[in-house]
Amino acid sequence: MTHKCVNNGGEVHVEVRVETGVNGGTEAIMAAKVFESIGKFGLALAVAGGVVNSALYNVDAGHRAVIFDRFRGVQDIVVGEGTHFLIPWVQKPIIFDCRSQPRNVPVITGSKDLQNVNITLRILFRPVASQLPRIYTSIGEDYDNRVLPSITTEILKSVVARFDAGELITQREVVSRQVSDDLTERAATFGLILDDVSLTHLTFGKEFTEAVEAKQVAQQEAERARFMVEKAEQQKRATIISAEGDSKAAALIANSLATAGDGLIELRKLEAAEDIAYQLSRSRNVTYLPSGHSVLLQLPQ
């Protein structure tokens, strides 16, 4: 670095010259190269991380995966739980939930005696893991929406048509078991397992419900009338039995009087007099006055 001052007619000129050494320029060039190398390494690391991340996929608990290859199509291998590798941009995983899932299917159908029936069927279903490639190829990922409503409606209509409206109520367990057996067999052809099938809702049309209520009322009235008849019959029998008892008692008394004379009557008189005297003696408003004696009573003034 050089400083130079010149005084020329009252004017001052300052000249500054800066010179960089050879060592300082070399260090700057090396630093630039280092930063360039770090940038290239970071870019390569980011690209490598993206490639590795795109080559990994996870299968959660209770799920299974089917691999779709752009060149070979859907693979027959079913991938289990865990982290797995695939070829990026060539293979794609399709994840299926293999746990039991609930679904309610409402159906309106007719019984054997042509009564409208509203039924709601609750189903717990899951796919067969080994048949997931076939399910994905032939039906798709939304297999439950495509299969369950149609086969459930078909089976319910078929089973309910075998029973009368009254039998649907009194034999509900039989109906539920028949629906479960037929629906399980039908769903197995699509690669589905039904863990539980139950009838959660069963109602009839308004006219049939009113008819059933009227029938119940009539039956209750008939039961009440029968009870009244039976009660009257029992009272009649009780009266007859009581009269027969009184008649037999009178006959026995007559026989006794004919055999023993008036002694039984005198005994009954004495017993009656004794009972009357006992009752009178317990009353405060009755005073006994012996005959033939003078008794002085103090009456209030």
Side-chain angles (χ1 to χ4, degrees):
M1 178 180 295
T2 304
H3 299 273
K4 185 179 179 180
C5 297
V6 180
N7 188 355
N8 185 8
E11 295 181 358
V12 179
H13 297 276
V14 179
E15 182 179 353
V16 179
R17 181 181 299 174
V18 179
E19 297 179 356
T20 303
V22 177
N23 294 332
T26 305
E27 291 177 357
I29 293 173
M30 292 179 63
K33 290 182 178 181
V34 170
F35 283 117
E36 183 180 359
S37 299
I38 293 175
K40 292 180 179 179
F41 178 75
L43 179 61
L45 186 62
V47 172
V51 171
V52 172
N53 185 56
S54 63
L56 295 175
Y57 67 96
N58 294 323
V59 179
D60 296 332
H63 293 68
R64 296 293 185 273
V66 174
I67 303 300
F68 172 75
D69 193 295
R70 297 182 184 276
F71 301 104
R72 295 180 296 174
V74 178
Q75 304 297 305
D76 293 333
I77 299 175
V78 177
V79 182
E81 303 167 358
T83 302
H84 307 276
F85 292 92
L86 53 74
I87 303 175
W89 304 292
V90 175
Q91 295 179 336
K92 181 180 71 172
I94 296 93
I95 309 298
F96 285 89
D97 190 351
C98 293
R99 297 170 297 182
S100 293
Q101 304 175 58
R103 187 182 183 93
N104 293 329
V105 181
V107 177
I108 300 177
T109 182
S111 62
K112 187 178 180 181
D113 53 352
L114 303 180
Q115 297 293 335
N116 290 329
V117 186
N118 299 323
I119 299 180
T120 299
L121 195 66
R122 186 176 185 273
I123 305 172
L124 285 178
F125 69 94
R126 56 188 172 91
V128 180
S130 60
Q131 298 188 26
L132 286 176
R134 182 177 70 87
I135 293 175
Y136 179 70
T137 303
S138 60
I139 304 176
E141 292 185 66
D142 57 342
Y143 60 90
D144 53 334
N145 293 326
R146 298 188 178 189
V147 172
L148 290 178
S150 59
I151 65 174
T152 301
T153 302
E154 176 189 355
I155 295 300
L156 275 176
K157 288 181 178 292
S158 174
V159 174
V160 171
R162 307 174 195 170
F163 297 89
D164 294 335
E167 294 174 345
L168 291 175
I169 299 175
T170 59
Q171 302 182 22
R172 181 165 180 166
E173 182 179 355
V174 177
V175 176
S176 179
R177 183 169 59 252
Q178 187 65 49
V179 170
S180 178
D181 294 341
D182 294 352
L183 191 58
T184 300
E185 182 180 357
R186 189 82 169 87
T189 60
F190 294 94
L192 301 180
I193 298 175
L194 304 184
D195 294 324
D196 181 67
V197 178
S198 57
L199 296 175
T200 59
H201 184 71
L202 178 62
T203 58
F204 300 91
K206 180 180 179 181
E207 294 79 7
F208 179 78
T209 303
E210 293 176 351
V212 171
E213 292 177 355
K215 181 180 179 182
Q216 293 294 328
V217 172
Q219 289 180 349
Q220 292 175 0
E221 293 294 337
E223 290 292 334
R224 186 179 294 108
R226 188 178 67 178
F227 172 75
M228 296 301 295
V229 171
E230 291 180 354
K231 181 179 179 180
E233 186 68 23
Q234 294 296 331
Q235 290 177 347
K236 177 181 177 181
R237 291 180 181 178
T239 303
I240 293 174
I241 292 173
S242 177
E244 291 177 352
D246 293 341
S247 177
K248 289 182 179 180
L252 291 175
I253 292 173
N255 292 334
S256 299
L257 291 175
T259 303
D262 297 335
L264 181 60
I265 296 176
E266 296 296 331
L267 178 61
R268 291 289 184 266
K269 288 181 179 181
L270 292 175
E271 291 178 350
E274 182 181 3
D275 184 63
I276 293 171
Y278 176 74
Q279 296 295 334
L280 291 176
S281 65
R282 292 174 60 86
S283 176
R284 295 181 180 181
N285 298 324
V286 177
T287 302
Y288 175 67
L289 299 176
S291 60
H293 295 78
S294 297
V295 180
L296 182 59
L297 297 177
Q298 283 187 343
L299 298 177
Q301 297 295 330

